[in-house]
Amino acid sequence: MDYEKEKKKLLSAKTPEQYIEFSIKSKLEGPKKSSITTEWLNKSGYSIDDIKYARNRHPFWREKRNKGSYERNSRRLEYHNYYKTDEKITWDEAKLSKFYDLNQEGNADHELARIFKTSIPAVNHIRRKFRFSTILLELEKKKPSKAAVIKLSGHSESVLKRLIKEKGKK
């Protein structure tokens, strides 16, 4: 393999998308490509974010990233399942209020699951109810205050969706 030839080809790329395409087809090893990438970025005026953006949209990397995603997600959900009892969790106003505050602080779904001794899907369910409640309040031209969001979150997701659909038509 001719290093200079491969390097020249990579450096000839005009766009981040073209650079990613050439990089995938290149026979060079990772560390060598990395130093050439830095050189290409300096020469072209593009940023590393431009490269990341192009890479995330390339079919090769999409497929590679998605391989095993079902298994990874299943392991993650099982690992962070803190719901270890037969008792049904009651999401009363106090729990919803605490959840609202912790969610506003930007806690990750697995952290909220651990705190509330529940599962990640349950955390995402409450987040959706909060989001639907906020949307509904905005459609009604009301301020989505904590109290109002929590009050509406007492309804089921399907009720909230139906109300949003009805308000959206007006």
Side-chain angles (χ1 to χ4, degrees):
M1 168 188 50
D2 186 7
Y3 172 77
E4 286 303 317
K5 187 178 172 186
E6 290 287 324
K7 179 179 177 180
K8 190 175 179 181
K9 177 141 175 105
L10 283 170
L11 291 175
S12 73
K14 302 283 185 238
T15 65
E17 291 78 14
Q18 192 178 36
Y19 186 85
I20 293 299
E21 192 66 41
F22 290 169
S23 178
I24 290 168
K25 292 176 182 173
S26 173
K27 294 172 182 73
L28 292 175
E29 307 249 333
K32 288 182 181 178
K33 276 198 250 183
S34 181
S35 64
I36 296 170
T37 301
T38 304
E39 191 177 332
W40 182 82
L41 288 171
N42 291 333
K43 178 185 148 222
S44 68
Y46 286 104
S47 72
I48 193 68
D49 290 333
D50 297 322
I51 290 279
K52 287 178 184 175
Y53 184 84
R55 187 175 191 236
N56 286 335
R57 272 137 198 82
H58 194 282
F60 172 83
W61 288 110
R62 272 190 170 167
E63 185 180 325
K64 197 166 184 104
R65 186 178 60 236
N66 289 336
K67 269 188 185 160
S69 63
Y70 177 80
E71 292 80 8
R72 280 193 308 275
N73 282 334
S74 296
R75 280 193 308 272
R76 178 175 165 267
L77 290 175
E78 187 53 40
Y79 181 76
H80 291 294
N81 184 5
Y82 302 100
Y83 184 66
K84 305 289 185 191
T85 178
D86 290 335
E87 269 183 53
K88 189 175 185 326
I89 295 175
T90 308
W91 288 96
D92 57 15
E93 215 169 298
K95 268 191 186 161
L96 288 171
S97 178
K98 183 178 178 185
F99 187 103
Y100 185 92
D101 293 337
L102 293 171
N103 191 47
Q104 293 296 101
E105 291 173 11
N107 285 287
D109 50 10
H110 66 88
E111 293 169 328
L112 292 170
R114 183 180 39 77
I115 291 166
F116 291 97
K117 294 178 178 47
T118 191
S119 64
I120 290 174
V123 166
N124 291 331
H125 170 69
I126 299 299
R127 283 182 168 161
R128 278 192 307 276
K129 287 172 74 165
F130 283 174
R131 188 176 73 245
F132 293 151
S133 297
T134 301
I135 291 168
L136 184 59
L137 288 164
E138 288 170 349
L139 285 171
E140 293 175 343
K141 310 273 190 257
K142 295 178 182 172
K143 184 178 185 278
S145 66
K146 176 182 172 181
V149 168
I150 290 170
K151 184 177 179 188
L152 278 173
S153 295
H155 296 294
S156 70
E157 270 188 76
S158 58
V159 167
L160 292 170
K161 282 182 190 177
R162 184 175 45 81
L163 290 171
I164 287 170
K165 199 173 184 178
E166 288 172 6
K167 296 286 181 193
K169 288 182 181 177
K170 292 181 181 179

